[in-house]
Amino acid sequence: MTFPITGVKKVEGEAREVACALCGLRDTRRLYTKYGWGIERCRGCGLVYANPRAPEAAILERYNAEYFWNEYLPAAGAAGGAIDNDLLDGRHGDMLRLIAGEAQGPGRMLEVGSGAGLFLHAASRAGWTPAGVELSPDGASFARDRLGLDVRTERAEAMTFEPRSFAVAVMFDVIEHLFDPRAVLEATRRALTPGGLLVLTTPNFDALSRHALGVAWAVLNPFEHLYYFTEATLAALLSACGFDNVRRVRSFAGWGAIESMNYRYTHAPGSWRTSLYERGVSRLTPGQVHSVQRWGAADTLLVLARSK
């Protein structure tokens, strides 16, 4: 079964084999083939990643102005560029409360991959002093021009913020898109004060949804998601990049059944697997949903760590 790749018209240039970002080996086992491209597991450490990798230009083509205005902003709660402060405060409130409980009160906050700056805008309203880096010119300019934020259009691994200048750094569903996650995590650690807090989310390769939906699970997309983490591989990478006190948050106030087991996030919405999974998820009690979260099988990894 094949699926169309939205936003990618054609692929030009050579694909290349990629060494494991965690252990450096070039010894992998194929897990999935999708769109004709592989998703493989390192035989050394278990990290899963897209390999061989499509050319960088073809991957970045996905994140154009059309995507920003027609897909990203509506999904983020700012269709047409309209800002609803109450909506954004509500959408990001649980995360900001989690961060406030872990940090020593509001201070300087860095967002890596800040998009249009909507989370940073909500953080500013909650008393934080925000800043961000964003590779998309459309996203960064929106954050600067519409929201008045210090969001810089630059690669995160080459960010120009002063070292040790942030109490908190956040990365929400970003690390799976990065060409070099190790370099970005190391740059983020340098930007944090000693003992500074990193809050990171990424799709969970051990999610129940992957097993239920199979290759149609929309997270499995080697053009958009270059890395696929488990709790163990993410913790190992964070440790290798200078973080400690790595802690997985397995039960989060912002997650219900659909956030934990999203049956809609599939490239085969009409399939028997999707229908069966939808029926199963819709019948779960809140207690059963929390059990899935506690087992580490929810759709998202939410991890906290401290810079050394």
Side-chain angles (χ1 to χ4, degrees), residues 241-257:
C241 293
F243 291 91
D244 59 13
N245 297 315
V246 180
R247 176 163 61 91
R248 165 82 184 276
V249 178
R250 287 190 169 181
S251 184
F252 176 55
W255 294 344

Side-chain angles (χ1 to χ4, degrees), residues 280-301:
V281 172
S282 65
R283 294 173 182 173
L284 294 178
T285 66
Q288 290 170 324
V289 172
H290 290 149
S291 293
V292 171
Q293 295 173 354
R294 288 194 297 271
W295 293 334
D299 285 359
T300 301
L301 292 172

Side-chain angles (χ1 to χ4, degrees), residues 162-246:
E162 288 293 322
R164 300 188 173 194
S165 58
F166 292 95
V168 174
V170 300
M171 298 174 63
F172 298 132
D173 293 326
V174 168
I175 193 171
E176 66 273 13
H177 298 270
L178 298 175
F179 296 108
D180 190 345
R182 181 185 286 267
V184 172
L185 285 174
E186 290 172 345
T188 302
R189 176 187 52 79
R190 291 192 294 270
L192 283 167
T193 58
L197 175 68
L198 172 67
V199 182
L200 187 154
T201 66
T202 189
N204 178 14
F205 192 73
D206 284 336
L208 179 63
S209 293
R210 177 175 69 88
H211 298 288
L213 298 172
V215 71
W217 191 38
V219 168
L220 300 174
N221 185 336
F223 273 86
E224 293 188 6
H225 298 151
L226 305 182
Y227 291 93
Y228 303 83
F229 292 96
T230 64
E231 184 174 339
T233 56
L234 183 56
L237 183 61
L238 287 167
S239 179
C241 293
F243 291 91
D244 59 13
N245 297 315
V246 180

Side-chain angles (χ1 to χ4, degrees), residues 5-306:
I5 306 170
T6 57
V8 178
K9 296 182 175 63
K10 64 179 180 178
V11 175
E12 297 180 350
E14 293 291 328
R16 65 183 182 92
E17 296 285 336
V18 181
C20 176
L22 180 52
C23 71
L25 289 182
R26 293 179 180 268
D27 184 7
T28 57
R29 177 173 65 88
R30 180 66 59 94
L31 301 180
Y32 297 99
T33 300
K34 196 167 182 180
Y35 312 136
W37 297 84
I39 296 173
E40 302 183 340
R41 188 194 299 273
C42 175
R43 294 182 190 271
C45 66
L47 180 64
V48 178
Y49 58 99
N51 190 48
R53 183 180 295 172
E56 182 173 315
I59 294 171
L60 292 178
E61 183 184 358
R62 171 77 172 104
Y63 307 105
N64 54 28
E66 181 180 358
Y67 163 81
F68 177 77
W69 288 98
N70 297 337
E71 294 185 51
Y72 169 83
L73 282 180
I83 301 300
D84 184 331
N85 287 329
D86 291 337
L87 185 150
L88 294 179
D89 291 347
R91 174 170 288 196
H92 300 298
D94 288 325
M95 182 59 71
L96 286 167
R97 283 186 285 273
L98 172 67
I99 294 171
E102 295 285 337
Q104 299 294 321
R108 292 199 74 204
M109 177 188 290
L110 169 69
E111 184 172 12
V112 178
S114 53
L118 303 179
F119 177 79
L120 290 179
H121 178 65
S124 177
R125 288 171 53 79
W128 293 88
T129 302
V133 290
E134 172 55 44
L135 191 58
S136 164
D138 298 283
S141 63
F142 185 97
R144 290 192 299 267
D145 300 340
R146 299 285 189 97
L147 300 176
L149 296 169
D150 180 8
V151 171
R152 304 181 185 183
T153 311
E154 55 194 21
R155 288 182 176 268
E157 58 267 41
M159 69 177 76
T160 56
F161 292 108
E162 288 293 322
R164 300 188 173 194
S165 58
F166 292 95
V168 174
V170 300
M171 298 174 63
F172 298 132
D173 293 326
V174 168
I175 193 171
E176 66 273 13
H177 298 270
L178 298 175
F179 296 108
D180 190 345
R182 181 185 286 267
V184 172
L185 285 174
E186 290 172 345
T188 302
R189 176 187 52 79
R190 291 192 294 270
L192 283 167
T193 58
L197 175 68
L198 172 67
V199 182
L200 187 154
T201 66
T202 189
N204 178 14
F205 192 73
D206 284 336
L208 179 63
S209 293
R210 177 175 69 88
H211 298 288
L213 298 172
V215 71
W217 191 38
V219 168
L220 300 174
N221 185 336
F223 273 86
E224 293 188 6
H225 298 151
L226 305 182
Y227 291 93
Y228 303 83
F229 292 96
T230 64
E231 184 174 339
T233 56
L234 183 56
L237 183 61
L238 287 167
S239 179
C241 293
F243 291 91
D244 59 13
N245 297 315
V246 180
R247 176 163 61 91
R248 165 82 184 276
V249 178
R250 287 190 169 181
S251 184
F252 176 55
W255 294 344
I258 191 64
E259 291 83 11
S260 300
M261 296 160 282
N262 189 354
Y263 51 81
R264 299 173 186 144
Y265 200 48
T266 173
H267 290 127
S271 71
W272 66 267
R273 294 182 71 154
T274 301
S275 299
L276 186 63
Y277 190 44
E278 179 179 359
R279 288 198 298 270
V281 172
S282 65
R283 294 173 182 173
L284 294 178
T285 66
Q288 290 170 324
V289 172
H290 290 149
S291 293
V292 171
Q293 295 173 354
R294 288 194 297 271
W295 293 334
D299 285 359
T300 301
L301 292 172
L302 171 54
V303 173
L304 311 179
R306 297 282 178 174

